[in-house]
Amino acid sequence: MKRILLMSAMFLFSAGAFAQGRQENFNLLLKDDWQMQSVVTAPAAATEISKENFNTQGWYKVSVPSTILAGLLANQVYNFDPFMGKNLEKLADPKLDKPWWFRREFNLPAAENGKNVILRLHGINYKANVWFNGVKIADSTKVKGPYRIIDLDLTKNINYTGTNTLAIEVLRPFTPNKRDGDLAIDYADWIPYPQDYNGGIINNVEVKTYNKVGVKFPLVTTDFDLPSLAVAHLTVDAQVTNYTNKAQDAVIKGKINQNISFEKKVHLLPNESKNINFSPLEFKQLNVKDPSVWWPWQYGKPNLNRIEVAAVVDKKLSNSVSENFGIREFTSKIIDDNQSREFIINGKPIMLRGAAWSPDIFQRRSAERQEQEIRLVRDMNMNIVRSEGKMEDDNFYDLCDKYGLMVMNGWMCCGTWQHPEKWDAAERKVAMASDSSVMYWLRNKASLFVWLNGSDMPPTDTSVERDYLEIEKQLKWPNPLLATANESKSKVSGYSGVKMAGPYEWVPPIYWETDATKKFGGTYSFATEISPGPSIPPYESLIKFIPKDSLNVTSADWNYHCGTGSFGTTKVFTKALYGRYGETSSIKNYVAKAQAQNYEAHRAMMEAYGLNKYQTATGVVQWMLSNPWPGLIWHTYDYYLYPAGTYFGMKKAMEPLHVLYSYKTNEVAVINSYLKTFSGLKVKADVYNLDGSSKFSKTVTADIGADASKRLFALPAITGLSDTYLLRLELSDKSGETKSINWYWLSKKGDELNWKKSNWFTTPQSAYADYSALQSLPKTKLTVSQSNKVGSDSTSYAVTIKNTGSAVAFFVHLRALKGQGGDDILPVIFSDNYISLAPGESRIIKCTYSNKNADGAAPYLLTSAWNLDIAGSSGEGGFEDGVPKE
């Protein structure tokens, strides 16, 4: 019998090794089969609602996590699309200001009979009264704060052999965007607020069982003998809790990758919780030779290892937890006279380039969509995402671990979280409990590389930052900590070495290299949030959220889908577009030109930071990656996952081996993001007039060091140029393989900035470059051919596009449609897009998408260009005008 028990314990302990995500020997995730209703509609007593036989006819069926509005939308309560026009305002309802019930019944398996039963709440926004089997087990003074992990003991009230009823009365937050509001989810000036302010259950609800003692929150910390990675010195920590009112002895067992085992006895006082530690000094087996190291994806493989910890009481397994971790070591240092912070991974400095993540406006999460977006991030060659005060779920962080993306996280601006000097004792308690919860939760994630204790400024109450730091020290946060995302000097922890000095509004490409004052968004330091402003979605996306009769840049519906405050219009962007590309004759004409302006501006930002990496610049985060709802500003791809001008400008700029043009110095340069050197590179520059005639050509060979940038030569003064002209750059390796092709459209009349009138979000222009002649480029012909490979899950196309005319084919755009005249297949990965082709030039564009996203339709490839001779073009697929007049 003892042998059977031992074998059972070993099976439970080792089950799921190397599986995705966290696993436990018993964890009842209460996800589906919830019911939701307003207290206004269901005024019954809580004691009755939280009992088994309560009549819930008319309640809404929901899955958790869910906000109130997300639940109503899932039940199709509204007969309109809340994203169309200003329909969001129609969701206003006085009932949203009152509490809402979330109710769920469940049964425990017979094997859990007699154990201690714990309810874990991992995200209530904003506070709640919790009732269980007719008894209130916690009130809203205890269950308060969306980022807290709260354990509630159900043991006294559990029905081991029958149905249990959990009823959570949620009270939504009020004014989190104000100085004296609730410490809840805040969006600042990103979007209009949903009317429930995301009130609801926003993360998991779980039931766990323990045999007296439980173990949770494992942490594996790595120390290398840098620069060597030959041995990883691993330290293991975990939290151990006695769930009884009697002293208990337990054995805590650990295992790494099924081949490294260790254990230790622990004595716990009644209801005591404490940390247990396994050090490499005490346990020699934790000095791991030839470790499988986790790297960000561009530096190596994001290898994951597996940690398991278990509590054994009276020779019986109480519980076990296993999860992935990364053997890696993140550090940082201040350089450049306290202005720049350089981050270091496994002893190697890394240039951080990425964008800011935003969840759905109603906090709806989909594992499929999360993976789709992470793949888009990778496709753009980004290596980090920043999440400001918006905690995601475990799946999101697991994906970042898996795909080798680094995550920057921290507390929120700009409302209540930013003003601790206004907090009362209760709010301060919420903040500190939130900090503890997040540290426990995220500290073992391989992808988490930094935590920010403030956003737009250090905590205004220095004692708050000190308390944060004390918590983070006690809970052994293993990565760098910063007081703020901006350049302020904390009175507690000193310089941050990062900045957020703007811009957030349109600026031209020349901006990034000409901020000589080092006061704004120029290429120095680590810009934690920065952007050239609006990213106008394609027409095909616009008509999904702006009524056709409001499709103009001054309509109320248009402006409603901008940001708020200073960002409530696209006026600055539109003025620049008209000044640089000419007046527009239709919304389609406007949108087509906007893709070019989006492309050049975002490409220039990322190129400038890459060109100056480790000199004065150490990182840049585009504000933002995606929109919480369909929007016109601050995204790299739109809400519908359409990759347009901004996306491909970003992707081009962050190619791992990249050739570029400096708008400031007129130089051609190369950026290498690999951890290896290259010799014998060939770089060619060609300048074309708009009629397609060649005006200049030069080829040089060059070597470049690992993770470096190098300026090669300046373009000379060229006679006979048209007012607008085109520059083609090509980079090939010593074997002749093309690594980068990069086109620029340039003007003899340059953009000029009025630096004296700069403010926190933009620098106005005093003169505009002139690209209006691009509208009258000579027509040219294209031939298109394609081959495809259809798999069970996905389809890949190789599309060959050749320019058979005598003029440059400008801004050639390829789309994959669900049949001729159908919608775009989304999401889709193109190897490149919005390309240009010299006369006689041919390019192969690869296109990949999931078969299910084609909705069973035969794909139809549509090609456009600004100067396409549609009648003279030939080949497979279709052709259309790239800058339509109507």
Side-chain angles (χ1 to χ4, degrees):
M1 184 64 181
K2 289 182 179 179
R3 178 175 175 81
I4 294 173
L5 288 172
L6 178 60
M7 293 299 292
S8 297
M10 290 176 64
F11 172 78
L12 288 169
F13 179 62
S14 52
F18 297 99
Q20 177 70 26
R22 180 182 300 111
Q23 290 196 341
E24 302 180 53
N25 63 313
F26 179 80
N27 178 46
L28 179 60
L29 178 64
L30 303 182
K31 179 176 176 59
D32 300 318
D33 302 319
W34 288 80
Q35 294 169 306
M36 181 187 82
Q37 188 54 272
S38 166
V39 297
V40 176
T41 306
T47 51
E48 299 304 313
I49 291 174
S50 58
K51 290 180 180 178
E52 178 183 357
N53 295 320
F54 180 75
N55 183 1
T56 57
Q57 185 176 357
W59 286 45
Y60 303 107
K61 294 181 179 180
V62 296
S63 295
V64 162
S66 177
T67 64
I68 301 164
L69 278 175
L72 295 175
L73 289 167
N75 281 272
Q76 300 179 327
V77 170
Y78 307 104
N79 62 357
F80 56 85
D81 178 0
F83 289 162
M84 177 58 73
K86 299 177 72 174
N87 279 353
L88 187 71
E89 294 180 350
K90 296 181 181 179
L91 299 180
D93 187 335
K95 289 199 296 290
L96 297 175
D97 294 337
K98 303 296 183 181
W100 282 68
W101 284 107
F102 288 78
R103 185 181 185 276
R104 171 65 146 83
E105 295 182 351
F106 67 91
N107 297 82
L108 282 180
E112 308 311 308
N113 193 4
K115 295 183 180 180
N116 300 87
V117 184
I118 301 297
L119 173 70
R120 177 167 297 173
L121 304 175
H122 193 175
I124 302 294
N125 195 31
Y126 175 64
K127 55 187 177 181
N129 297 304
V130 182
W131 294 74
F132 183 67
N133 290 342
V135 178
K136 181 189 281 189
I137 60 171
D139 65 20
S140 59
T141 63
K142 182 175 182 179
V143 181
K144 186 178 182 182
Y147 305 127
R148 293 175 67 179
I149 298 174
I150 298 173
D151 284 359
L152 301 175
D153 198 328
L154 304 181
T155 309
K156 292 181 180 179
N157 305 104
I158 195 75
N159 184 351
Y160 287 107
T161 59
T163 300
N164 294 279
T165 303
L166 173 66
I168 304 176
E169 183 188 25
V170 176
L171 294 80
R172 69 98 159 164
F174 286 86
T175 59
N177 55 329
K178 305 296 183 182
R179 294 187 176 201
D180 54 355
D182 289 330
L183 285 169
I185 298 170
D186 184 16
Y187 291 102
D189 46 19
W190 307 359
I191 53 171
Y193 281 83
Q195 285 81 349
D196 65 349
Y197 279 73
N198 288 149
I201 301 174
I202 61 165
N203 213 326
N204 290 345
V205 177
E206 302 164 300
V207 176
K208 302 175 184 292
T209 61
Y210 305 100
N211 178 28
K212 301 175 183 176
V213 173
V215 62
K216 58 186 176 182
F217 303 131
L219 167 67
V220 185
T221 307
T222 304
D223 287 297
F224 290 115
D225 301 315
L226 296 173
S228 173
L229 304 181
V231 179
H233 308 288
L234 305 182
T235 301
V236 178
D237 289 271
Q239 187 184 34
V240 184
T241 302
N242 178 4
Y243 290 102
T244 74
N245 56 9
K246 295 180 180 180
Q248 299 291 341
D249 292 306
V251 177
I252 306 303
K253 297 186 175 185
K255 187 176 287 188
I256 292 175
N257 297 344
Q258 297 300 301
N259 60 357
I260 300 173
S261 300
F262 43 92
E263 63 179 62
K264 181 183 286 189
K265 293 181 180 179
V266 61
H267 179 75
L268 296 164
L269 299 175
N271 303 117
E272 182 183 12
S273 182
K274 66 181 180 182
N275 185 72
I276 189 166
N277 172 265
F278 301 89
S279 77
L281 292 176
E282 183 181 2
F283 297 89
K284 302 301 182 185
Q285 62 270 42
L286 293 176
N287 298 285
V288 180
K289 295 180 180 179
D290 300 319
S292 181
V293 178
W294 188 92
W295 288 98
W297 71 277
Q298 292 164 320
Y299 272 24
K301 294 182 179 179
N303 297 311
L304 290 169
N305 294 263
R306 193 79 176 172
I307 175 69
E308 299 179 69
V309 291
V312 178
V313 180
D314 298 330
K315 298 183 179 181
K316 296 179 181 178
L317 179 71
S318 175
N319 81 300
S320 66
V321 181
S322 64
E323 63 183 36
N324 295 330
F325 74 96
I327 295 179
R328 91 294 186 275
E329 184 178 351
F330 274 114
T331 57
S332 68
K333 65 180 181 180
I334 293 285
I335 62 173
D336 191 26
D337 193 27
N338 292 322
Q339 292 192 89
S340 301
R341 182 175 295 270
E342 182 178 280
F343 285 87
I344 301 162
I345 172 68
N346 302 331
K348 301 288 186 181
I350 186 165
M351 177 68 184
L352 303 171
R353 292 192 289 181
W357 180 273
S358 176
D360 173 80
I361 188 173
F362 301 116
Q363 293 288 310
R364 295 172 296 188
R365 293 191 182 96
S366 157
E368 179 183 27
R369 182 173 173 114
Q370 284 176 338
E371 183 145 17
Q372 289 170 338
E373 294 198 54
I374 292 299
R375 287 179 174 176
L376 292 175
V377 173
R378 279 273 304 256
D379 183 59
M380 281 187 285
N381 299 303
M382 293 179 173
N383 58 21
I384 73 165
V385 290
R386 181 186 171 198
S387 184
E388 183 200 24
K390 304 291 184 296
M391 310 307 159
E392 279 298 328
D393 59 7
D394 279 311
N395 184 68
F396 170 81
Y397 299 109
D398 288 343
L399 287 170
C400 292
D401 292 350
K402 170 186 172 182
Y403 283 105
L405 277 173
M406 296 173 286
V407 178
M408 181 183 206
N409 215 333
W411 295 125
M412 180 68 196
C413 90
C414 295
T416 311
W417 278 103
Q418 188 170 285
H419 292 282
E421 79 280 2
K422 299 288 186 179
W423 298 347
D424 59 20
E427 298 306 319
R428 187 175 182 124
K429 181 179 179 181
V430 169
M432 296 307 149
S434 300
D435 198 59
S436 295
S437 295
V438 172
M439 290 302 110
Y440 274 128
W441 176 33
L442 299 182
R443 65 182 186 173
N444 205 40
K445 305 293 186 184
S447 52
L448 266 291
F449 78 97
V450 67
W451 177 262
L452 280 69
N453 283 321
S455 181
D456 290 22
M457 62 185 71
T460 51
D461 183 336
T462 57
S463 69
V464 167
E465 185 183 353
R466 289 190 180 94
D467 286 353
Y468 281 157
L469 290 171
E470 182 60 28
I471 290 169
E472 290 147 9
K473 179 181 178 181
Q474 289 180 359
L475 302 189
K476 301 187 178 183
W477 176 256
N479 308 307
L481 291 160
L482 301 184
T484 175
N486 82 354
E487 59 278 9
S488 301
K489 181 181 180 182
S490 164
K491 295 179 181 178
V492 177
S493 55
Y495 287 104
S496 66
V498 301
K499 68 168 185 174
M500 48 173 293
Y504 300 90
E505 181 59 274
W506 160 261
V507 288
I510 189 68
Y511 173 94
W512 309 102
E513 292 187 80
T514 52
D515 175 14
T517 62
K518 287 192 174 183
K519 289 182 179 179
F520 305 109
T523 52
Y524 69 95
S525 192
F526 176 8
T528 60
E529 50 182 75
I530 197 168
S531 176
S535 284
I536 308 301
Y539 179 81
E540 294 73 30
S541 290
L542 287 176
I543 58 177
K544 293 178 181 178
F545 65 94
I546 297 179
K548 288 191 175 181
D549 60 1
S550 295
L551 270 176
N552 67 80
V553 299
T554 60
S555 75
D557 290 320
W558 180 277
N559 291 336
Y560 193 67
H561 285 267
C562 296
T564 62
S566 300
F567 309 105
T569 72
T570 58
K571 286 181 179 178
V572 177
F573 178 90
T574 300
K575 182 180 179 182
L577 187 79
Y578 292 167
R580 301 169 87 244
Y581 290 90
E583 296 287 333
T584 60
S585 55
S586 67
I587 188 63
K588 288 186 177 181
N589 184 269
Y590 175 94
V591 169
K593 292 175 181 176
Q595 302 318 309
Q597 183 155 284
N598 287 338
Y599 187 110
E600 55 165 338
H602 289 84
R603 175 182 62 178
M605 176 179 72
M606 286 300 182
E607 284 182 334
Y609 271 84
L611 182 60
N612 291 280
K613 65 179 175 179
Y614 309 133
Q615 301 166 44
T616 56
T618 56
V620 55
V621 174
Q622 149 72 12
W623 193 258
M624 304 174 69
L625 175 71
S626 56
N627 288 141
W629 77 323
L632 300 168
I633 66 169
W634 297 338
H635 63 251
T636 59
Y637 49 84
D638 68 27
Y639 186 83
Y640 307 102
L641 307 184
Y642 199 126
T646 294
Y647 182 98
F648 288 103
M650 289 275 193
K651 178 174 179 173
K652 177 63 65 177
M654 290 180 284
E655 291 173 319
L657 196 58
H658 178 65
V659 62
L660 68 108
Y661 167 76
S662 167
Y663 286 87
K664 178 183 179 182
T665 65
N666 207 33
E667 291 176 299
V668 175
V670 175
I671 300 172
N672 175 20
S673 297
Y674 291 111
L675 284 182
K676 60 181 180 180
T677 61
F678 288 88
S679 61
L681 296 175
K682 186 170 73 173
V683 175
K684 186 181 181 188
D686 290 284
V687 176
Y688 297 89
N689 269 351
L690 293 189
D691 62 4
S693 60
S694 175
K695 304 301 295 181
F696 173 82
S697 183
K698 181 174 181 175
T699 302
V700 301
T701 58
D703 304 332
I704 191 169
D707 196 19
S709 62
K710 189 174 186 178
R711 298 173 188 266
L712 301 181
F713 61 89
L715 296 178
I718 303 170
T719 59
L721 287 176
S722 50
D723 289 341
T724 302
Y725 57 99
L726 300 163
L727 169 64
R728 181 186 187 274
L729 301 177
E730 181 173 355
L731 168 68
S732 55
D733 63 20
K734 60 183 178 183
S735 68
E737 182 181 353
T738 300
K739 294 295 184 181
S740 175
I741 296 176
N742 201 1
W743 283 84
Y744 295 82
W745 43 105
L746 302 171
S747 169
K748 289 200 282 188
K749 179 186 177 183
D751 289 301
E752 296 179 13
L753 290 152
N754 189 344
W755 290 100
K756 291 182 179 180
K757 291 190 176 181
S758 296
N759 56 37
W760 65 275
F761 60 89
T762 194
T763 296
Q765 286 187 245
S766 52
Y768 295 106
D770 183 7
Y771 299 136
S772 57
L774 290 171
Q775 292 185 102
S776 54
L777 276 164
K779 297 291 185 180
T780 193
K781 303 172 184 178
L782 299 176
T783 59
V784 178
S785 61
Q786 62 191 46
S787 62
N788 68 346
K789 181 179 179 181
V790 181
S792 58
D793 297 321
S794 64
T795 294
S796 297
Y797 278 84
V799 184
T800 302
I801 307 175
K802 185 174 182 179
N803 180 5
T804 58
S806 59
V808 172
F810 182 72
F811 234 49
V812 179
H813 182 212
L814 186 65
R815 294 168 60 196
L817 307 182
K818 301 173 184 177
Q820 187 172 358
D823 290 336
D824 290 81
I825 300 172
L826 296 172
V828 61
I829 299 292
F830 288 101
S831 59
D832 202 352
N833 220 326
Y834 295 100
I835 65 172
S836 293
L837 296 168
E841 182 179 2
S842 179
R843 293 278 303 278
I844 297 176
I845 304 299
K846 295 179 181 179
C847 165
T848 304
Y849 57 83
S850 175
N851 292 338
K852 66 180 180 180
N853 293 326
D855 293 340
Y860 183 80
L861 298 178
L862 187 64
T863 305
S864 65
W866 278 37
N867 56 330
L868 182 62
D869 179 352
I870 297 175
S873 297
S874 62
E876 299 172 85
F879 300 91
E880 69 174 4
D881 193 348
V883 279
K885 300 297 186 291
E886 300 297 336

